[in-house]
Amino acid sequence: MNCKNCGTPLTEGAHFCHECGAKVVTKRITFKAMLTDMFRNVIGLDNTYLRTLKAMFVSPQLVLTDYMNGVRKRYFPPFAFFTIGAALALFAFQQFTEDYIAISQGINESQFEVIDQAIEPDEQMNVDAVEQQLENAEEIQRTILRYFNFFSFLLLPIYGLMSFIVYRKPYNFGEHLVANAYMQGVTFLFTLVFFLLSLLIDPSLYMISMVFVMGYYTYAYGKWYQLSFGKSLVKLLLFIGVLIGFFLAIMIVSIVIGIVLGLTGVL
């Protein structure tokens, strides 16, 4: 019998190919086998994803340090870990985006009515302007929720670069990218939980998830770099400052390019 992936001859009773490492499959695909694989590989209590998730909560420095030092089989791959977290969050967003928007819009409109009734008649708010702002905010929320995965993958290298700038040695940009993949794989679950709670309790809870995200980043990086609470807080503030500066620079460059293109008649 030969390996169906690379063609290497296999010994009788082999479970894996000694050349390419592929699993030897001799049975046909059945529904029962698919369910068994799903429970074993996806939600099984002994799989590496859940072990990695637990370790990222209890001792994130152990996961990151081990992985950087070449311990790979013990932990779930970082970018697959990131992708699973993003996919779980996206699934919930795709299912409940319109419910969240409807609840959020209803609360915003109620607040607008209260404020509008509390002020003097000659100082009445511009209803059309406020309604337009509400519509714009609603569309932004819908776009972010529906394209969550796209924005997540787009921001991952940016976060990796920012953390590399702030924390620097002894780790390089690639290693910070791996660390951010693991950390975001965890923070996506915070986002998911708070999003679901926001549907049941109050839409503002979804925004509060950012506090927990920043708190977890401070905790995980503090553990990884063995920083005191004070130094971790300073690094977090510096990270936020660098991130804000980065996006402001992008905005300024975009405005300048737009002006230049407009003056040259391209637009």
Side-chain angles (χ1 to χ4, degrees):
M1 181 176 63
N2 295 335
C3 175
K4 297 177 182 179
N5 293 279
C6 67
T8 301
L10 302 174
T11 58
E12 189 67 28
H15 296 289
F16 294 91
C17 173
H18 61 272
E19 183 66 27
C20 69
K23 183 178 180 180
V24 177
V25 179
T26 58
K27 298 180 180 179
R28 295 182 61 183
I29 296 176
T30 64
F31 182 68
K32 180 180 179 181
M34 291 175 61
L35 288 178
T36 301
D37 286 341
M38 181 184 70
F39 277 90
R40 181 187 299 118
N41 299 325
V42 180
I43 61 177
L45 294 178
D46 60 342
N47 75 78
T48 54
Y49 174 77
L50 291 182
R51 288 205 305 269
T52 303
L53 179 62
K54 178 183 177 181
M56 284 300 297
F57 275 108
V58 177
S59 53
Q61 76 282 5
L62 183 61
V63 177
L64 300 178
T65 302
D66 279 353
Y67 193 87
M68 304 310 173
N69 290 333
V71 181
R72 306 292 165 83
K73 193 172 182 179
R74 185 182 303 168
Y75 304 109
F76 207 76
F79 298 105
F81 188 81
F82 170 93
T83 302
I84 288 179
L88 290 173
L90 179 65
F91 177 77
F93 294 159
Q94 294 284 6
Q95 296 297 316
F96 302 110
T97 291
E98 294 305 322
D99 294 327
Y100 175 82
I101 294 295
I103 296 173
S104 180
Q105 184 182 27
I107 291 178
N108 289 338
E109 290 177 351
S110 299
Q111 292 174 343
F112 164 63
E113 291 176 359
V114 171
I115 295 174
D116 191 41
Q117 294 173 2
I119 61 178
E120 298 297 328
D122 56 345
E123 298 177 352
Q124 286 294 304
M125 300 172 68
N126 187 327
V127 176
D128 293 336
V130 174
E131 288 182 349
Q132 185 61 47
Q133 291 178 358
L134 291 175
E135 290 178 3
N136 292 340
E138 176 185 331
E139 192 58 35
I140 291 173
Q141 287 179 322
R142 182 178 285 108
T143 300
I144 292 175
L145 292 174
R146 285 186 171 176
Y147 297 97
F148 180 78
N149 271 18
F150 170 76
F151 289 118
S152 298
F153 281 97
L154 181 66
L155 290 173
L156 178 60
I158 295 176
Y159 289 150
L161 178 61
M162 297 300 102
S163 62
F164 171 64
I165 292 174
V166 172
Y167 290 91
R168 299 290 295 181
K169 297 179 179 181
Y171 303 105
N172 60 32
F173 168 67
E175 290 167 331
H176 278 279
L177 197 61
V178 167
N180 275 269
Y182 273 126
M183 291 180 195
Q184 286 195 54
V186 175
T187 58
F188 287 147
L189 301 183
F190 285 129
T191 303
L192 171 61
V193 169
F194 277 91
F195 176 76
L196 296 177
L197 288 175
S198 71
L199 294 174
L200 300 173
I201 303 174
D202 188 286
S204 61
L205 284 175
Y206 176 59
M207 302 307 297
I208 295 176
S209 66
M210 289 304 300
V211 176
F212 284 81
V213 169
M214 290 188 292
Y216 178 77
Y217 256 81
T218 303
Y219 161 74
Y221 259 104
K223 286 280 191 179
W224 191 28
Y225 273 80
Q226 298 180 354
L227 301 175
S228 65
F229 176 77
K231 289 184 178 179
S232 294
L233 188 59
V234 170
K235 290 289 187 181
L236 174 65
L237 295 176
L238 182 58
F239 179 89
I240 294 173
V242 171
L243 193 63
I244 292 174
F246 177 81
F247 284 113
L248 286 177
I250 291 178
M251 290 177 58
I252 293 172
V253 170
S254 300
I255 292 172
V256 171
I257 292 175
I259 293 174
V260 171
L261 293 178
L263 292 176
T264 56
V266 176
L267 296 179

